[in-house]
Amino acid sequence: MPKISDEKRAARRAQILDAAWSCFQRQGLHATTMDDIIRASELSAGAVYSYYPSKEELILAAVTTSLTGLSELLGPILQTEPLPSPAVMIGRITGAITAFSQREGHDLRRIALLGWSEAQRNEQLRLAMRSFYLSFRKQLEDAVKRWSDSEVLPANIPHKDVAKSLLALILGFVVQSAITGDVEPDDIATGLRALAMPVLQGW
Amino acid sequence: MPKISDEKRAARRAQILDAAWSCFQRQGLHATTMDDIIRASELSAGAVYSYYPSKEELILAAVTTSLTGLSELLGPILQTEPLPSPAVMIGRITGAITAFSQREGHDLRRIALLGWSEAQRNEQLRLAMRSFYLSFRKQLEDAVKRWSDSEVLPANIPHKDVAKSLLALILGFVVQSAITGDVEPDDIATGLRALAMPVLQGW
Amino acid sequence: MPKISDEKRAARRAQILDAAWSCFQRQGLHATTMDDIIRASELSAGAVYSYYPSKEELILAAVTTSLTGLSELLGPILQTEPLPSPAVMIGRITGAITAFSQREGHDLRRIALLGWSEAQRNEQLRLAMRSFYLSFRKQLEDAVKRWSDSEVLPANIPHKDVAKSLLALILGFVVQSAITGDVEPDDIATGLRALAMPVLQGW
Amino acid sequence: MPKISDEKRAARRAQILDAAWSCFQRQGLHATTMDDIIRASELSAGAVYSYYPSKEELILAAVTTSLTGLSELLGPILQTEPLPSPAVMIGRITGAITAFSQREGHDLRRIALLGWSEAQRNEQLRLAMRSFYLSFRKQLEDAVKRWSDSEVLPANIPHKDVAKSLLALILGFVVQSAITGDVEPDDIATGLRALAMPVLQGW
DNA sequence: GATGAATGAGTCTTCATTCAT
DNA sequence: AATGAATGAAGACTCATTCAT
């Protein structure tokens, strides 16, 4: 069994990560034992440990990978030309998250909740998540600026705060859909549209 | 030896719960050992177990209690007469959560994240959270109706979806403020206000 | 099972240490598993760990205890009044070590060899042994001075070097008796006596 | 593909043994993993195992080799003509051991201590060491006889016991210099000389 | 009623050894 | 012959829970 090719190595890592993902999701981060992951990966303990040196590392990899996946999923939506309205964009984002999470063992929402919780005591993980959300919010802020420029939104609004609100809507959708289970992707978009409808009184 | 009085019993339960809360919050649900809680409560193992029969039960109690606390904190805001505008109300809610969480060892946001994560594998906990959020959302829906009635919001909007969006904003605020740490209570309100500002184009 | 008395605690510690001692001696430090010790101590894993927090600590305790025991065994011999001749004293020391080591499971010589080996990679243990041997050598040096004073040995000899040689004889006896197994306590004394016999030629 | 030449084989064995030696010495026998040795030898796992079938075997070889080396180092000293006095000879032996041990990764003293410890549970190793020490002591005994013959020592002394004492001095020097670290080669010789100085009183 | 010492199943991780390529 | 990835048994240690006193 001589030196393994880089692809094979990557494939093995993916195989292990996949096993970890599906266990984590089903049972939570801490209720999942390394043995569960080892069995799910169909490898031996030693093999798993030769790819990921600890459970901690595996958790980190699982969460950051899901973050990267999310990034790839949502990136195109944020870059669409011409930019759809805020409500439409929110609808597309929540829709994409939902659609992606249908795939067995790949529920981004569940991993997100587990990751947030873990981030409270894992500094490295917290930093990884923090920079991901900050970067994502930055992209939202750009979109807000473009809306301002194209007069979909008023000109002199606080772009950053709007981005924070939009991100809050998305994250809040994730929580609700995982906990109450009765939120459809379009609900948030619909709600937002209603909130923004012009009426006589100012707020 | 007469039985311990009911007040005493309740006081003990509170004392244990308080200890559990502060441990959970500092170290997370699973990294907290019963021994940590026992030591923090300044009682013996046997005593703690006579009030809460298992760690699971203690987690459930801790999360549920925090939910009740949240309810008592936010209830008055939702009942205010006359009802402030949506943005103002969101600002008050996020503000109340933040203010409450300043108190050492009582960060509602951290407990919330921990609870969501745990709810994935603890059916009982999930149901408790679910019914709390549904009830809270119901109250938001009532508010939405009143806004419709008072023409702060248009008449024929989907009240439920608006409530979902408002709840999403609040939950998303909690996540962001716990993970990125750079969200002030008013940011969300400000962002929402901007999103709702009338411009020429419709969405 | 309320608070245990101090004596009981000490007894438990001794019970565990005894079990460790006999395992270590039979199988060596590293070939002995905690499970071996746990079984030999007739306690549970948790109980053993509540008295000694790690195997390392148990090794340290076993070795330092044997050092203390050795100290108590040899102290009286070094203090004898009037001081016997060097050869007689060496004979008594090697004799005491041998006699003590007859007791099943308490072979000081075996523990000594194990300890020396372990001291190479355990700083704490090395320091403990070092200070023990230094202090023991100091006592030997005092004896040498008294021999000088009482003209059993010449007056202006290097006391410290003589002490080093005497210690070397004792330690070398321990090694030989453990490895070759054919050294009686008196052999060393006899050999030393012969080496010191006056002959015509100087050395 | 022709078989590998015998020289090459021997060179490989030496290369592996050297790697093992330096690892053992630095980290101890049990803390050294086969992987450490494999990496230090710059060969593959398979290669190492094709030369030495087990770690046990490697330990045995490492210790035995060091014994052989010691033999070659000390042989000439014991054979010197004319034989120097006992104290001078002890000084030369301890000096040679010290000088040899200066070389990085070849500290005979450390290996000796490790070997003694291991010999307690490895019968094969114990026998190898035993026969080495017995043979070495035999050579010392010959020297003692020659000293008797040449009247450096008295005629009718117990040669064997004197040899045991001399060996004890050497072994004890090794232990002290490894543990206390404050023993120079000449100290033992000096001490022995003092012990043997004639005084009025007999012992 | 209370105490806290004891239990022991279960966790993560290591590492000597093998064998498919 | 050589390689090094894979194996899996075994080890140290933890911690929720119990129950003798």
Side-chain angles (χ1 to χ4, degrees):
Chain A
M1 206 178 282
K3 213 164 200 134
I4 217 171
S5 71
D6 276 5
E7 297 106 66
K8 198 124 195 164
R9 247 195 103 71
R12 276 267 195 276
R13 283 181 71 91
Q15 173 185 0
I16 293 166
L17 209 51
D18 235 57
W21 248 72
S22 84
C23 292
F24 285 154
Q25 203 168 194
R26 213 171 329 114
Q27 315 168 34
L29 261 22
H30 292 282
T32 294
T33 69
M34 282 305 287
D35 211 52
D36 291 334
I37 297 173
I38 287 157
R39 217 166 316 131
S41 72
E42 299 189 300
L43 285 169
S44 67
V48 169
Y49 271 89
S50 85
Y51 287 95
Y52 291 96
S54 68
K55 188 180 178 182
E56 192 100 329
E57 209 73 27
L58 210 33
I59 289 176
L60 187 65
V63 176
T64 49
T65 300
S66 89
L67 253 25
T68 311
L70 198 56
S71 210
E72 286 165 4
L73 191 68
L74 304 185
I77 298 177
L78 290 165
Q79 251 87 62
T80 311
E81 277 294 355
L83 210 53
S85 76
V88 169
M89 175 174 280
I90 290 291
R92 289 199 188 157
I93 289 173
T94 52
I97 292 171
T98 306
F100 188 87
S101 298
Q102 303 303 349
R103 304 193 323 183
E104 187 57 42
H106 286 266
D107 192 326
L108 284 169
R109 300 164 306 176
R110 291 171 80 93
I111 286 275
L113 297 202
L114 299 175
W116 296 338
S117 176
E118 187 66 8
Q120 316 268 341
R121 16 169 268 103
N122 182 331
E123 183 65 4
Q124 208 182 348
L125 185 54
R126 225 201 76 236
L127 292 176
M129 298 199 99
R130 187 170 185 278
S131 78
F132 170 78
Y133 286 120
L134 254 25
S135 137
F136 182 66
R137 211 174 63 195
K138 197 73 169 171
Q139 292 182 268
L140 284 173
E141 202 178 327
D142 286 342
V144 174
K145 281 179 192 150
R146 287 159 71 197
W147 282 318
S148 274
D149 292 346
S150 57
E151 295 180 9
V152 172
L153 288 179
N156 54 353
I157 54 173
H159 302 132
K160 194 164 193 176
D161 290 344
V162 176
K164 285 177 182 176
S165 296
L166 292 174
L167 179 53
L169 280 170
I170 297 164
L171 298 175
F173 160 75
V174 168
V175 178
Q176 268 183 93
S177 98
I179 303 290
T180 66
D182 69 345
V183 184
E184 298 303 312
D186 280 337
D187 295 353
I188 302 297
T190 305
L192 176 58
R193 202 174 282 115
L195 276 168
M197 275 183 182
V199 279
L200 302 178
Q201 297 85 337
W203 284 21
Chain B
M1 208 177 287
K3 251 192 168 141
I4 211 167
S5 73
D6 277 3
E7 296 107 67
K8 196 127 195 167
R9 260 197 87 76
R12 279 283 169 80
R13 285 181 68 91
Q15 177 181 0
I16 293 166
L17 213 49
D18 229 59
W21 243 74
S22 84
C23 291
F24 286 153
Q25 191 179 212
R26 216 172 326 115
Q27 316 167 30
L29 259 22
H30 291 278
T32 293
T33 68
M34 283 304 286
D35 206 56
D36 292 333
I37 297 172
I38 288 158
R39 217 165 319 131
S41 72
E42 300 186 301
L43 289 170
S44 68
V48 169
Y49 269 87
S50 82
Y51 288 96
Y52 291 96
S54 70
K55 188 181 179 182
E56 194 100 327
E57 211 71 30
L58 212 32
I59 289 175
L60 186 64
V63 176
T64 315
T65 303
S66 89
L67 254 26
T68 312
L70 198 56
S71 213
E72 287 166 3
L73 189 68
L74 304 185
I77 298 177
L78 291 164
Q79 252 87 63
T80 310
E81 277 297 353
L83 209 53
S85 75
V88 168
M89 176 173 281
I90 290 292
R92 288 199 190 157
I93 289 174
T94 52
I97 292 171
T98 306
F100 188 86
S101 297
Q102 303 302 350
R103 302 191 324 179
E104 188 59 43
H106 287 266
D107 193 325
L108 285 169
R109 300 165 305 176
R110 292 172 80 92
I111 286 274
L113 298 202
L114 299 175
W116 297 339
S117 175
E118 189 66 8
Q120 317 268 348
R121 29 170 254 100
N122 183 332
E123 185 62 4
Q124 209 181 345
L125 184 54
R126 225 201 78 237
L127 291 177
M129 299 198 99
R130 187 170 186 278
S131 78
F132 169 78
Y133 286 120
L134 288 180
S135 138
F136 181 66
R137 211 171 65 192
K138 199 69 167 174
Q139 292 183 269
L140 285 172
E141 202 178 327
D142 286 342
V144 175
K145 280 178 192 151
R146 287 159 70 198
W147 283 318
S148 271
D149 291 347
S150 56
E151 294 179 10
V152 172
L153 288 179
N156 53 351
I157 55 173
H159 303 133
K160 194 164 193 176
D161 290 346
V162 176
K164 286 178 182 174
S165 296
L166 291 174
L167 180 53
L169 279 170
I170 296 165
L171 299 175
F173 161 76
V174 168
V175 178
Q176 268 184 95
S177 96
I179 303 290
T180 67
D182 68 346
V183 183
E184 298 302 313
D186 280 337
D187 295 353
I188 302 297
T190 305
L192 177 59
R193 202 173 282 116
L195 276 168
M197 276 182 182
V199 280
L200 301 178
Q201 299 85 337
W203 285 21
Chain C
M1 207 177 280
K3 213 163 201 140
I4 216 169
S5 72
D6 276 6
E7 297 107 66
K8 198 123 196 167
R9 247 195 102 71
R12 276 267 194 276
R13 284 182 69 91
Q15 173 185 0
I16 293 166
L17 210 50
D18 236 59
W21 249 72
S22 84
C23 291
F24 286 154
Q25 202 167 197
R26 215 172 326 116
Q27 315 168 34
L29 260 21
H30 291 281
T32 293
T33 70
M34 283 305 286
D35 211 52
D36 291 334
I37 296 172
I38 286 157
R39 217 166 316 130
S41 72
E42 299 188 301
L43 286 169
S44 65
V48 169
Y49 272 90
S50 86
Y51 287 96
Y52 291 96
S54 68
K55 187 180 178 183
E56 193 102 324
E57 210 74 26
L58 211 33
I59 289 176
L60 187 66
V63 176
T64 50
T65 302
S66 88
L67 253 26
T68 310
L70 198 56
S71 210
E72 286 165 5
L73 190 69
L74 305 185
I77 298 177
L78 291 165
Q79 251 87 64
T80 310
E81 279 295 354
L83 210 54
S85 76
V88 168
M89 174 174 280
I90 289 292
R92 288 197 187 155
I93 288 173
T94 52
I97 291 171
T98 306
F100 188 87
S101 298
Q102 304 303 348
R103 303 190 326 181
E104 188 57 41
H106 285 267
D107 192 325
L108 284 169
R109 300 165 306 177
R110 292 171 80 93
I111 286 276
L113 298 204
L114 298 175
W116 297 338
S117 176
E118 188 65 8
Q120 316 268 341
R121 15 170 269 102
N122 182 331
E123 184 64 3
Q124 208 182 347
L125 185 55
R126 225 201 76 236
L127 291 177
M129 298 199 99
R130 187 171 185 277
S131 80
F132 170 78
Y133 286 120
L134 253 27
S135 137
F136 181 66
R137 211 171 65 191
K138 198 73 169 172
Q139 292 183 268
L140 284 173
E141 202 178 326
D142 287 341
V144 174
K145 281 178 191 151
R146 286 158 71 197
W147 281 319
S148 273
D149 292 345
S150 56
E151 295 180 8
V152 171
L153 288 179
N156 52 355
I157 54 174
H159 302 131
K160 194 163 193 176
D161 289 345
V162 176
K164 286 177 181 174
S165 295
L166 292 174
L167 179 54
L169 280 170
I170 297 165
L171 298 175
F173 160 75
V174 169
V175 178
Q176 268 183 93
S177 97
I179 304 290
T180 66
D182 68 344
V183 184
E184 297 303 310
D186 280 336
D187 295 353
I188 302 296
T190 306
L192 176 60
R193 203 174 280 115
L195 276 168
M197 276 183 183
V199 279
L200 301 177
Q201 299 86 335
W203 285 20
Chain D
M1 206 179 285
K3 252 196 167 132
I4 211 167
S5 73
D6 276 5
E7 294 108 66
K8 196 124 194 170
R9 260 196 88 75
R12 279 283 169 81
R13 285 181 68 92
Q15 178 183 358
I16 293 166
L17 212 50
D18 229 60
W21 243 74
S22 83
C23 291
F24 285 153
Q25 193 179 208
R26 215 171 329 114
Q27 315 167 29
L29 259 23
H30 290 279
T32 293
T33 68
M34 283 305 286
D35 207 54
D36 291 333
I37 297 172
I38 287 159
R39 216 164 320 129
S41 72
E42 299 187 302
L43 289 170
S44 68
V48 169
Y49 269 87
S50 82
Y51 289 96
Y52 291 96
S54 70
K55 187 181 178 183
E56 194 100 326
E57 210 73 28
L58 212 32
I59 289 176
L60 186 66
V63 176
T64 314
T65 303
S66 88
L67 253 27
T68 312
L70 197 57
S71 212
E72 286 165 4
L73 189 68
L74 305 184
I77 299 176
L78 291 165
Q79 251 86 62
T80 311
E81 278 295 354
L83 209 55
S85 76
V88 169
M89 174 174 280
I90 289 292
R92 288 198 187 156
I93 289 173
T94 52
I97 292 171
T98 306
F100 188 87
S101 297
Q102 303 303 348
R103 303 191 323 179
E104 188 58 41
H106 286 267
D107 193 325
L108 285 169
R109 300 165 305 177
R110 292 172 80 92
I111 286 276
L113 298 203
L114 299 175
W116 297 339
S117 176
E118 189 66 9
Q120 317 268 345
R121 31 169 253 100
N122 182 331
E123 184 63 5
Q124 209 181 346
L125 184 55
R126 225 200 79 237
L127 291 177
M129 299 198 98
R130 187 170 186 278
S131 79
F132 169 78
Y133 286 121
L134 288 180
S135 138
F136 182 66
R137 211 171 66 192
K138 198 71 168 173
Q139 291 183 270
L140 285 173
E141 202 178 328
D142 286 342
V144 174
K145 280 179 190 149
R146 286 158 73 196
W147 281 319
S148 271
D149 292 346
S150 57
E151 294 179 11
V152 172
L153 289 179
N156 54 352
I157 55 173
H159 303 132
K160 193 163 192 176
D161 291 344
V162 176
K164 285 179 181 174
S165 295
L166 291 174
L167 179 54
L169 279 170
I170 297 165
L171 298 174
F173 160 76
V174 168
V175 178
Q176 267 184 95
S177 96
I179 303 291
T180 66
D182 68 345
V183 184
E184 297 302 311
D186 281 336
D187 295 353
I188 302 297
T190 305
L192 177 59
R193 205 173 279 119
L195 277 169
M197 277 182 183
V199 280
L200 302 178
Q201 298 85 338
W203 284 20

